[in-house]
Every structure is written in C-alpha cells, then in structure tokens.
Amino acid sequence: MTHSTPEAGKGPAVTGPAVTGQEATVPVPTAAGGGPVSHAIFRLARLHRMLAGQLLRRIGLHPGQELVMMHLWELGPQRQTDLVRLLDSDAATMTRTVRRLEQAGFVRRSPSPTDKRATIIEPTVASQALRREVERIWSQLEDMSTADLSDAERAAALRTLERLEGNLVQAATDSAGAAETER
C-alpha cells in the first residue's frame, strides 16, 4: 500500500490499491493527518472484515463466528464466559453469536455440571465439515491480504502488526489502570 501524509494546505493524501486491484485515491481527512498509521489501520481493518464477511457468508457465517468456532475446535468445550474473555468480547455479543451458531447446528449449549450459573459451549460433529471450510477461507484471505509480498515482507509485516498490537494492549492496560485510580 502506498501512502503519503497530507501536508498543511496541500489536500488529502493518496493511498494505494482498492479492492478492484486498480490504483485508487482515498482522501485522508486533514483531521486524520496527525494519525496516518491509525487511519491506515482503520481502512485496512474495515476492508479485511468486509472481504472476510463476503467469504464467510458463502458458508453461512458472519465475521467473528469463525473465531468462536476456531477456539472451540482447538480447546474443546468452553464456558461461555471463557469465550468472552478469550475473544475480548462482551457477554451480549457472545450470547447472540452462540445462539446463531446453535441455531445453525454448529454448537451445543448445556449447563455446567460444576457451576449452575455457567453455560458450556461445545462444537457439534456437524461443525467439523465447517472447520475445513473456515480453514480454506482463512488461507484465501491470507493470500488476498499478502499477495505480492515476499516471505521476508510477510514476516516483517507480521512482526510490525504484533508490535502495534502490543503497543495498543499496553495503552489499554495503562488506560484501565488510570481509570481505576481515579475512582
């Protein structure tokens, strides 16, 4: 992705390839000029989620549902509250997600045998065919996202994204600590 930041009085920046593969100009608002990386992350995340949604719809899923399934396939049955924590979600969103996955026949809910307040979510046998499709879609999305990057560029991009994520996790932790101190 090419990128240039707007300079005072010189108009919006120009950013790189659109979904069509042709060069496109995306105006960067002057107000976002102080945060070109943040603006690029926003655009990238929005486009990535849109493409993931298009691919997932073909197998009857919405973005985010595949992540719940990935954790269940990997870890086995989980308390719903643990899924909320694992995916950094909220209880209401997870309840809706699990309900939709249950209606589709991909998960089963049952009361916890050790905690009457907890619900256990487990993948169904029917979800195993879905797993192969989700894995295929994630590979396809990875290929779309990293097309024309060398192995070294892919590794560097991953390291950079991990550092950015670490910075934001630290900022969120610091912010939560500051908010707790103010109380």
Side-chain angles (χ1 to χ4, degrees), residues 43-106:
R43 291 189 327 270
L44 179 64
R46 185 181 56 176
L47 186 56
H48 189 271
R49 185 172 176 86
M50 181 196 72
L51 288 171
Q54 289 174 357
L55 295 170
L56 290 166
R57 264 193 300 282
R58 296 175 187 167
I59 61 170
L61 292 179
H62 296 282
Q65 291 177 332
E66 84 282 14
L67 296 173
V68 171
M69 294 307 305
M70 286 177 184
H71 283 290
L72 291 172
W73 292 321
E74 186 81 16
L75 303 172
Q78 297 290 304
R79 292 182 318 157
Q80 188 163 322
T81 55
D82 292 334
L83 289 172
V84 167
R85 184 182 43 75
L86 273 169
L87 293 164
D88 196 23
S89 183
D90 61 81
T93 299
M94 186 59 65
T95 297
R96 282 190 305 275
T97 299
V98 167
R99 186 178 335 113
R100 289 176 181 152
L101 289 169
E102 184 179 38
Q103 289 169 349
F106 299 133

Side-chain angles (χ1 to χ4, degrees), residues 141-172:
L141 189 58
E142 183 81 1
D143 291 344
M144 293 164 75
S145 299
T146 60
D148 299 328
L149 294 181
S150 68
D151 289 344
E153 289 170 320
R154 288 177 189 218
L158 184 57
R159 281 192 307 275
T160 300
L161 290 169
E162 288 170 345
R163 285 183 61 196
L164 292 171
E165 180 183 19
N167 291 344
L168 294 177
V169 166
Q170 185 61 52

